[in-house]
Amino acid sequence: MHKKLLFSFLAIAISSYSTFAQQPKKPNSSEIYESIQKLNFLASVLYVAAHPDDENTRLISYMSNHLKARTAYLSLTRGDGGQNLIGPEIRELLGVIRTQELLTARRIDGGEQRFTRANDFGYSKHPDETHEIWNKNEVLSDVVLAIRQFQPDVIINRFDHRSPGSTHGHHTSSAMLSVEAFDLANNASVYPEQLKTVSPWQPKRQFFNTSWWFYGSQDAFEKADKTNLLSIDTGVYFPLNGLSNPEIAALSRSQHKSQGFGSSGSRGEQMEYIELINGSLPTDKTNIFDGIDTSWNRIKGGKAIGDILYQVEKDYDFSNPSASIPKLVEAYTLIQDLENEHWKTIKSEEIKNIIANCAGLFLEVVANSNHATANSKVPLSIEMINRSDANIMFTGLQLKDSERKKRLYKRFPLKDNIEENLKDTILISSRQLPTTPYWLTKKGTLGMYKVEDKALIGHPETPREYTATFKLEINQTPIEFTRPIVYKTNDPVKGEVYKPFEIIPEASAKVSEKVIIFENDQQKDIQVVVKSGKDNLEGYVQIAHPQDWNIYPEKQKVSIANSGQEQTLVFTVVPPKNQSEGLITPMVHVGDQVFTRELIEIDYDHIPFQTVLLPSESKIVRLDIKKRGENIAYIEGAGDVVPESLQQIGYNVVILKPEDINTETLSRFDAVVVGIRAYNTVEDLKYKQQELFDYVANGGNMIVQYNTSRGLKTNNLAPYKLQLSRDRVTDEFAEVTFLNPEHPLLNYPNKITTKDFEGWTQERGLYFPNEWANEFTPLLSMHDKGETAKEGSLLVAKHGKGYYIYTGLSFFREFPAGVSGAYRLFANMLSIGKEDISTEESLKN
């Protein structure tokens, strides 16, 4: 019974570690040969770090493509707490994007991808804080589980477990947990509930992927004792694909587009260093697997398989890969008799894929739509083709659907280069839940995702519910190939485009704005967009709201003829007289069902199309806010919702492109706001600085939001000296002290108090300046526990007739969260210097 459970889990794990709805890979002859080499290498390496983009793609690619080892990256988080350079998605949706970027990277460098349930809650300065917020025991159990599942011979940590407080707390925590899990994974008394599906496992060695950077300087590294260090030249060249290992690694690294980590490939020697921290040092320091049997002989019954497969590798015909099929099938049969379920499952999948690739076998099931709803029937188009002279017989098709039965088809041979097409349908169960990232289905905590189905822990994405298993006989040997059902279409520009086949709800709804700000007690109309997942949707919509708010009408009818279409309904929201806030949720009633979730689609060219279901909620805020000025120019940076947020409180916001920045254009605006990381990402801005400074000198307001201290396009950020640092305050509850409480910016037109810093989310701010000219006035002081005060979060300088303001406060996070004080403070920043706009306005106040 235990072996059956183990095999079932591994089969699911392996199938789920491929990314769904990508155009199917069609390996060439050289790639098939390399896969045969990997088939004959039985060793595993697990690389461990904290976030997407922390992994060393040079080492992962080297282990996978040069040594041919099975290699995986365990990222403890999905990167929800980072910034997004390619779009507006943050938090959970950014985590979905970064998950897919990792999977895309692994498809390039040859690795696999795994995760824990830890949530990236933002920057942490010490692992003690990280472990407290994450729930250390649960994350440690996930690391132990990953080791037991993957069974690595070698573990490599990206970060040093011995230096807490010297870098991001998540970084050090990842190494500390990995070191602790090294021996725990082999202790059957630790997390014994895991042993229903996995076995204890003891890795042989554990390393820290060090470099001169961790020693402080190249000189210090040269002088360091290197007794326990292995040096690896990862700059190897692969003539079969015409790329060096660093070039492959750069292609992989460049998939982290949301983080702006595009990388140029390099050629020639490139040294990596790994320091032994657990296990025995290899006698041969040029071989990380020294003393570990990496041949088929390492498993009982493996020698006979190896004798066949080493000969297949030796005799491989690059011009005719199908010549290897008879021996591959013979070895496949022997693999099915192995007692070692771990390697049996892994190598069965590997050799099946090689057999299919050698035969040029193409198997695909395409739905007529990229989505369906529960209790519906979906037409399918099935394509099969064998592009070799191999003896292949089609014997049946198993569609995994609510009927769970094998389709009865007549047996027929798949002849060389003759396409076979079939038609069928699947029935979606009436109890089928919609497709969405499994870690987002239940509300978690600040530091942990909640995953009720423990079998899903570690999976990079939700396993496909609907698949097709092709039953074939190859050289009279039954072999099954399972493929996910997909959707594909032809785009006039992109050509053949694949999307995953998703199950969606019959209805979903969203309020057009995620935060709705009422600057006074005047009512506002809001739009509720209802999307139908089926034809002929009939029902009505109500909106749940706080008691002191009113919404009219109470309900409205919805009627949508076709699946995928939307209907927009307008409701009137009446705020209370006094400051108040709460959540509203549209509820779509269809029959006896009520739908309260929003269907979100994420569509970027570098990752597969994603469908995410989240609770449909919008925050409504009745603000006590005053403002001056009307017209704001916004220069976009790395993506945020500040422009939309300013529009919410009544400003007229115009997106200003760098090429349109000139004296005449700027003169039309009361203030210019520069978006987050604009000076890191917008090259042309460095040529426009003087015109912006002249605008300030002529009486305008210029507000510059945070930039990172590294990678600036210009050092001329301000009209006076201003030096950025890595100073940040990560505690969103950190006390805020007013350094200049009488300064106009803290008093006009809104009186700013410490109450305005309540309810902030994730952090106070980041990358504060730590040096500035005397012309600047610092307004706020704050610090994290145990640190010195940071006074660079909000700096104001009078320049000519206007004001230049630099702020590292995280408005880009607070506005989407509807934090009242953030809006009031920003309104003051926009209004500074406009105390005497008109007598009429003065009288009004």
Side-chain angles (χ1 to χ4, degrees):
M1 180 65 178
H2 176 78
K3 286 185 178 180
K4 288 182 180 178
L5 283 170
L6 179 63
F7 178 84
S8 174
F9 179 85
L10 285 169
I12 293 171
I14 286 174
S15 66
S16 70
Y17 287 139
S18 59
T19 297
F20 306 109
Q22 283 288 299
Q23 193 171 59
K25 191 173 181 181
K26 301 161 188 173
N28 59 39
S29 184
S30 295
E31 291 169 325
I32 294 171
Y33 177 70
E34 290 185 274
S35 65
I36 293 173
Q37 290 180 309
K38 293 193 79 167
L39 181 66
N40 284 331
F41 194 85
L42 280 70
S44 302
V45 179
L46 182 65
Y47 198 90
V48 181
H51 309 109
D53 71 44
D54 282 343
E55 82 276 32
N56 185 335
T57 55
R58 292 182 300 275
L59 264 182
I60 290 175
S61 177
Y62 178 87
M63 296 294 170
S64 178
N65 297 309
H66 182 65
L67 298 185
K68 309 301 180 186
R70 182 167 170 255
T71 308
Y73 174 42
L74 174 62
S75 176
L76 268 59
T77 76
R78 296 176 184 268
D80 301 48
Q83 285 82 51
N84 184 0
L85 297 188
I86 60 173
E89 297 89 355
I90 58 174
R91 293 303 309 155
E92 294 91 349
L93 296 179
L94 177 58
V96 173
I97 291 172
R98 298 188 72 187
T99 294
Q100 291 300 322
E101 288 179 336
L102 274 177
L103 287 166
T104 304
R106 297 294 80 79
R107 285 194 298 276
I108 291 171
D109 60 35
E112 300 176 23
Q113 186 60 51
R114 294 168 183 259
F115 293 95
T116 74
R117 288 170 291 168
N119 192 350
D120 178 7
F121 56 83
Y123 194 87
S124 174
K125 292 184 176 178
H126 200 279
D128 289 349
E129 177 199 36
T130 300
H131 291 157
E132 182 179 344
I133 295 176
W134 271 358
N135 187 329
K136 178 191 172 184
N137 184 61
E138 289 190 7
V139 182
L140 178 60
S141 76
D142 290 358
V143 177
V144 169
L145 179 63
I147 293 172
R148 288 171 171 175
Q149 288 175 345
F150 193 69
Q151 296 190 11
D153 298 296
V154 174
I155 296 176
I156 302 175
N157 296 337
R158 183 69 183 99
F159 300 104
D160 190 351
H161 65 289
R162 299 159 296 193
S163 54
S166 63
T167 183
H168 197 322
H170 296 181
H171 291 170
T172 310
S173 293
S174 70
M176 294 171 71
L177 292 169
S178 177
V179 169
E180 191 172 350
F182 181 81
D183 288 321
L184 292 181
N186 198 38
N187 186 339
S189 66
V190 175
Y191 307 119
E193 69 281 358
Q194 296 179 1
L195 302 183
K196 296 175 183 177
T197 56
V198 295
S199 299
W201 179 255
Q202 182 60 63
K204 305 299 187 298
R205 299 183 180 112
Q206 188 173 44
F207 296 91
F208 158 45
N209 183 193
T210 189
S211 71
W212 69 264
W213 188 87
F214 289 97
Y215 287 78
S217 70
Q218 188 73 48
D219 184 57
F221 180 66
E222 294 297 333
K223 296 175 182 177
D225 179 10
K226 297 184 177 60
T227 303
N228 286 337
L229 260 63
L230 273 66
S231 57
I232 302 171
D233 180 7
T234 62
V236 294
Y237 174 66
F238 303 118
L240 286 181
N241 54 29
L243 292 171
S244 69
N245 185 70
E247 286 174 316
I248 293 173
L251 292 171
S252 172
R253 182 76 172 163
S254 296
Q255 301 313 305
H256 295 297
K257 298 184 188 300
S258 65
Q259 297 302 105
F261 283 148
S263 179
S264 298
S266 62
R267 289 142 292 280
E269 181 182 84
Q270 193 162 94
M271 303 304 297
E272 290 287 342
Y273 300 91
I274 54 176
E275 176 190 355
L276 184 76
I277 54 177
N278 265 316
S280 59
L281 191 69
T283 303
D284 178 4
K285 293 178 71 172
T286 66
N287 180 9
I288 193 173
F289 296 112
D290 181 48
I292 301 171
D293 190 349
T294 60
S295 73
W296 277 99
N297 294 330
R298 77 177 290 171
I299 54 177
K300 183 180 177 182
K303 183 181 183 306
I305 298 168
D307 289 344
I308 296 170
L309 291 178
Y310 297 135
Q311 195 64 41
V312 168
E313 182 179 339
K314 180 180 178 182
D315 296 340
Y316 181 74
D317 185 349
F318 284 84
S319 65
N320 182 22
S322 64
S324 299
I325 291 176
K327 287 297 183 183
L328 287 168
V329 172
E330 183 181 346
Y332 168 81
T333 303
L334 293 177
I335 290 172
Q336 305 319 298
D337 295 330
L338 289 174
E339 294 178 10
N340 186 311
E341 294 288 347
H342 177 78
W343 285 111
K344 173 183 175 180
T345 304
I346 292 167
K347 294 304 177 181
S348 290
E349 288 300 313
E350 286 184 14
I351 199 169
K352 284 200 306 183
N353 288 332
I354 292 170
I355 291 169
N357 293 333
C358 284
L361 190 61
F362 184 84
L363 307 170
E364 188 171 76
V365 181
V366 178
N368 72 333
S369 172
N370 71 310
H371 62 255
T373 58
N375 199 33
S376 63
K377 283 191 174 183
V378 181
L380 302 175
S381 298
I382 301 158
E383 180 184 349
M384 298 177 285
I385 188 169
N386 164 30
R387 290 168 287 188
S388 73
D389 60 2
N391 178 15
I392 301 179
M393 180 73 69
F394 171 75
T395 63
L397 184 71
Q398 176 79 52
L399 287 170
K400 184 183 177 185
D401 65 3
S402 61
E403 296 177 298
R404 296 292 196 276
K405 68 180 183 181
K406 179 180 177 181
R407 276 13 185 219
L408 299 177
Y409 289 103
K410 183 180 177 180
R411 289 168 54 97
F412 57 83
L414 296 181
K415 297 177 181 178
D416 186 3
N417 211 32
I418 303 298
E419 184 181 66
E420 300 288 350
N421 293 286
L422 303 172
K423 298 291 184 182
D424 211 322
T425 60
I426 53 168
L427 175 63
I428 309 300
S429 168
S430 59
R431 298 183 299 277
Q432 179 62 55
L433 297 176
T435 310
T436 196
Y438 71 85
W439 62 94
L440 299 179
T441 56
K442 299 292 182 180
K443 186 175 180 60
T445 64
L446 173 64
M448 296 295 296
Y449 297 119
K450 184 175 182 179
V451 181
E452 292 185 336
D453 184 352
K454 302 305 181 187
L456 293 174
I457 294 174
H459 287 238
E461 49 188 343
T462 306
R464 294 293 99 174
E465 187 69 26
Y466 292 91
T467 60
T469 298
F470 293 84
K471 297 178 179 294
L472 306 179
E473 287 180 3
I474 303 178
N475 283 10
Q476 290 79 50
T477 300
I479 303 179
E480 297 182 354
F481 298 88
T482 299
R483 301 286 187 266
I485 295 173
V486 297
Y487 171 74
K488 71 177 180 181
T489 186
N490 184 69
D491 183 273
V493 176
K494 299 176 183 178
E496 191 174 56
V497 174
Y498 280 77
K499 287 185 179 181
F501 174 66
E502 310 274 34
I503 308 302
I504 63 173
E506 290 185 9
S508 58
K510 66 177 180 180
V511 178
S512 296
E513 297 86 19
K514 286 302 166 192
V515 176
I516 306 169
I517 304 295
F518 292 77
E519 55 180 312
N520 51 45
D521 61 0
Q522 297 301 302
Q523 67 188 35
K524 285 187 178 182
D525 288 341
I526 64 167
Q527 293 184 336
V528 175
V529 181
V530 180
K531 186 170 186 176
S532 177
K534 68 171 188 176
D535 293 339
N536 303 314
L537 180 77
E538 297 286 341
Y540 66 91
V541 178
Q542 288 181 304
I543 299 181
H545 58 85
Q547 287 187 351
D548 55 343
W549 295 68
N550 289 294
I551 297 182
Y552 301 100
E554 181 180 338
K555 62 182 180 181
Q556 292 192 56
K557 181 180 178 181
V558 62
S559 179
I560 303 176
N562 299 310
S563 172
Q565 288 187 331
E566 296 179 342
Q567 181 177 343
T568 299
L569 306 173
V570 178
F571 289 83
T572 299
V573 180
V574 181
K577 295 291 183 183
N578 301 316
Q579 186 158 317
S580 173
E581 62 183 55
L583 296 173
I584 58 174
T585 296
M587 303 181 297
V588 185
H589 296 257
V590 180
D592 59 356
Q593 292 185 291
V594 180
F595 299 93
T596 59
R597 290 198 283 177
E598 176 183 357
L599 184 68
I600 302 165
E601 296 177 341
I602 300 175
D603 192 7
Y604 290 101
D605 286 344
H606 68 298
I607 60 174
F609 183 88
Q610 298 294 299
T611 298
V612 184
L613 274 172
L614 292 177
S616 183
E617 295 178 338
S618 288
K619 189 172 185 179
I620 47 176
V621 181
R622 164 67 170 95
L623 267 183
D624 176 16
I625 189 171
K626 303 179 182 68
K627 58 187 179 64
R628 295 294 180 268
E630 295 182 0
N631 299 314
I632 308 298
Y634 198 89
I635 301 170
E636 291 182 307
D640 58 61
V641 295
V642 172
E644 295 88 341
S645 301
L646 297 179
Q647 289 171 339
Q648 285 272 358
I649 55 175
Y651 284 105
N652 175 35
V653 181
V654 175
I655 302 300
L656 189 62
K657 297 185 181 300
E659 59 266 28
D660 296 328
I661 297 174
N662 56 61
T663 302
E664 181 182 352
T665 302
L666 292 173
S667 66
R668 304 170 191 166
F669 299 102
D670 299 302
V672 173
V673 181
V674 182
I676 60 173
R677 296 179 71 174
Y679 290 105
N680 298 123
T681 59
V682 184
E683 185 80 29
D684 290 346
L685 265 185
K686 65 184 178 183
Y687 306 115
K688 298 293 183 176
Q689 286 296 83
Q690 191 56 53
E691 288 174 272
L692 288 166
F693 298 157
D694 289 344
Y695 160 77
V696 177
N698 290 328
N701 286 353
M702 181 178 177
I703 300 170
V704 178
Q705 299 177 87
Y706 98 93
N707 292 269
T708 61
S709 54
R710 212 171 71 181
L712 286 168
K713 303 297 183 183
T714 177
N715 293 320
N716 188 30
L717 282 179
Y720 310 111
K721 178 186 175 183
L722 186 70
Q723 182 70 45
L724 301 186
S725 73
R726 297 184 65 84
D727 287 351
R728 63 202 301 162
V729 176
T730 62
D731 182 1
E732 62 267 43
F733 304 107
E735 182 181 358
V736 177
T737 302
F738 294 172
L739 297 173
N740 290 272
E742 302 307 316
H743 194 282
L745 195 148
L746 297 176
N747 291 277
Y748 184 84
N750 304 287
K751 176 68 175 177
I752 303 300
T753 70
T754 55
K755 186 176 177 61
D756 288 298
F757 290 92
E758 294 177 2
W760 283 51
T761 181
Q762 186 161 323
E763 63 201 352
R764 288 296 189 197
L766 62 172
Y767 292 100
F768 299 160
N770 63 350
E771 294 181 35
W772 51 83
N774 292 332
E775 285 83 356
F776 281 105
T777 300
L779 297 184
L780 306 174
S781 175
M782 58 190 74
H783 62 88
D784 283 323
K785 183 178 179 181
E787 293 193 353
T788 59
K790 305 295 184 289
E791 298 184 351
S793 64
L794 182 58
L795 302 172
V796 186
K798 190 81 163 65
H799 181 58
K801 299 177 182 178
Y803 289 86
Y804 175 96
I805 300 171
Y806 189 93
T807 179
L809 295 171
S810 58
F811 291 103
F812 72 102
R813 294 199 189 280
E814 312 318 318
F815 285 170
V819 178
S820 302
Y823 280 92
R824 286 164 45 83
L825 179 57
F826 211 94
N828 278 19
M829 290 159 59
L830 293 169
S831 301
I832 190 169
K834 298 178 173 58
E835 289 88 342
D836 299 314
I837 287 180
S838 71
T839 304
E840 182 180 348
E841 284 199 61
S842 299
L843 291 173
K844 286 181 181 178
N845 292 292

